[in-house]
Amino acid sequence: MDTKILIIGACGQIGTELTAKLRATYGVTNVIATDIRKLNNEVVNNGIFEVVNALDYNQIEHLIEQYHITDVYLMAALLSATAEKNPAFAWDLNMNSLFHVLNLAKAGKIKKIFWPSSIAVFGPTTPRHQTPQYTIMEPSTVYGISKQTGERWCEYYYKQYGVDVRSIRYPGLISWSTEAGGGTTDYAVDIYHKAITDGKFTSFLSENTELPMMYMDDAIKATIQIMQAPLDQIKIRSSYNLAAMSFTPKQIGAAITKHYPEFKLSYAPDFRQKIADSWPASIDDSSARADWGWTNDFDMTTMTEAMFKNLKEQVYPH
Ligand code: SER
């Protein structure tokens, strides 16, 4: 059977670029992009788009039947900073949207699920450096608790019901085409915009807060790669550690100064500092590399070049 894809949360930071790549890879008519609102013109206009609430089981089931969907990418979620402000809704959205697609797969209506997890599954008691795949996991944020719980359910549905659900623990994701929304790592997106527009930036994380990060192109590559991998290569059914680089605000500032020598960086840590302090500084992703051949293409230097090139050409052309 041909692959027919449903993306839930297609207008978000990841969804936007994932939708474009999946349309290019599988054909425009084989990808159904959905979101709660028409938030992104390219996603809405460059292919099939439907307005969908990730919490509406019947609506999702109907679309799956209507379009003969085989694979679902569930990208809708409240991220770490936003979730702290609205814990009950974050829990509802992050958990029940996952249950909906897991149950649709259990009922035999879809074949495969991609569900993103996060470095937020780790917590203050986790070893911070080169955090292993299997380690202490006591997340202290609402978002982290929802992702950790989601991982447990993914593994359970795989073991009990044979549901083919695949997952990656994304680090902070940096991209130029769509704004990041509500995450603790978002400063590393904003800093590039502000370097171009203002020549200065105030970071909401302190100068030496090291976090794992990744350029969006690599994240999209990994997402499609894990979904295309033969079944026997997917040995972990909770979620795979994934890494590309780690840096602090001070280090990314220095990389930016190479392009904008006058760039000024200051620091005003807010409530997100505590979230960042509970997360790993770097990640051991050797399982993803060994099991399904993950490799990253971008490091901090090449990502910074790509970010400025794309932002200057596409977003701030004058
Ligand atoms: N980048 C996300 C956040 O900061 C982590 O998954 O919330």
Side-chain angles (χ1 to χ4, degrees):
M1 195 178 16
D2 286 350
T3 303
K4 279 273 213 175
I5 293 169
L6 180 73
I7 308 164
I8 301 172
C11 292
Q13 190 201 2
I14 307 171
T16 305
E17 299 203 26
L18 182 64
T19 301
K21 190 70 179 185
L22 289 172
R23 281 173 174 161
T25 307
Y26 290 93
V28 175
T29 54
N30 292 319
V31 177
I32 318 306
T34 75
D35 209 302
I36 185 106
R37 284 189 299 276
K38 294 182 175 178
L39 295 166
N40 183 288
N41 287 338
E42 278 179 33
V43 171
V44 172
N45 298 329
N46 293 356
I48 305 168
F49 180 85
E50 303 267 1
V51 171
V52 166
N53 179 350
L55 291 174
D56 188 337
Y57 181 92
N58 292 332
Q59 198 185 10
I60 296 167
E61 183 182 39
H62 176 75
L63 275 183
I64 283 169
E65 287 168 356
Q66 182 186 347
Y67 288 104
H68 307 288
I69 298 297
T70 57
D71 299 7
V72 173
Y73 291 71
L74 173 56
M75 312 311 287
L78 238 55
L79 293 193
S80 58
T82 322
E84 290 305 300
K85 298 194 162 150
N86 199 344
F89 177 62
W91 180 254
D92 186 24
L93 176 64
N94 293 1
M95 295 316 306
N96 286 319
S97 60
L98 175 60
F99 275 125
H100 289 347
V101 293
L102 287 174
N103 285 328
L104 285 159
K106 182 186 167 196
K109 291 180 186 270
I110 48 174
K111 302 251 171 300
K112 225 188 265 184
I113 298 168
F114 179 80
W115 176 77
S117 186
S118 162
I119 53 165
V121 293
F122 301 114
T125 53
T126 302
R128 269 178 65 72
H129 296 278
Q130 286 301 108
T131 299
Q133 175 70 40
Y134 300 107
T135 186
I136 300 166
M137 298 170 90
E138 296 184 315
S140 55
T141 63
V142 175
Y143 176 69
I145 296 168
S146 75
K147 289 295 180 187
Q148 160 69 340
T149 310
E151 285 191 8
R152 297 289 87 227
W153 280 111
C154 287
E155 191 184 276
Y156 185 86
Y157 269 68
Y158 171 73
K159 288 197 170 143
Q160 296 298 320
Y161 312 122
V163 167
D164 188 0
V165 53
R166 304 173 180 208
S167 180
I168 284 167
R169 291 171 184 152
Y170 289 133
L173 298 181
I174 291 148
S175 63
W176 59 270
S177 77
T178 309
E179 277 182 46
T184 299
T185 54
D186 293 5
Y187 89 87
V189 177
D190 292 343
I191 195 169
Y192 286 107
H193 288 263
K194 294 294 185 325
I196 294 175
T197 59
D198 297 8
K200 60 181 190 322
F201 179 69
T202 303
S203 167
F204 59 72
L205 297 183
S206 65
E207 61 182 331
N208 294 321
T209 307
E210 184 180 3
L211 287 170
M213 300 280 186
M214 181 176 288
Y215 190 47
M216 186 62 83
D217 291 32
D218 271 337
I220 300 296
K221 180 176 102 163
T223 304
I224 295 177
Q225 199 178 343
I226 194 175
M227 285 296 271
Q228 291 181 339
L231 201 64
D232 62 355
Q233 289 184 6
I234 309 302
K235 300 188 168 78
I236 293 170
R237 291 293 180 163
S238 51
S239 190
Y240 276 94
N241 277 8
L242 197 75
M245 64 186 95
S246 286
F247 56 76
T248 64
K250 191 175 175 181
Q251 287 166 335
I252 191 91
I256 287 172
T257 306
K258 295 203 175 108
H259 295 255
Y260 289 89
E262 305 295 311
F263 179 65
K264 294 270 178 298
L265 181 55
S266 53
Y267 306 93
D270 66 12
F271 74 100
R272 289 169 282 195
Q273 183 66 45
K274 204 169 143 208
I275 300 177
D277 287 342
S278 78
W279 289 353
S282 58
I283 297 285
D284 175 353
D285 65 350
S286 46
S287 293
R289 289 174 193 267
D291 290 1
W292 43 275
W294 157 246
T295 53
N296 61 296
D297 294 331
F298 288 86
D299 59 19
M300 191 175 69
T301 303
T302 51
M303 177 181 78
T304 298
E305 282 162 11
M307 282 295 285
F308 282 134
K309 182 172 186 297
N310 285 308
L311 283 173
K312 282 194 274 189
E313 286 175 10
Q314 322 270 349
V315 183
Y316 306 106
H318 303 297

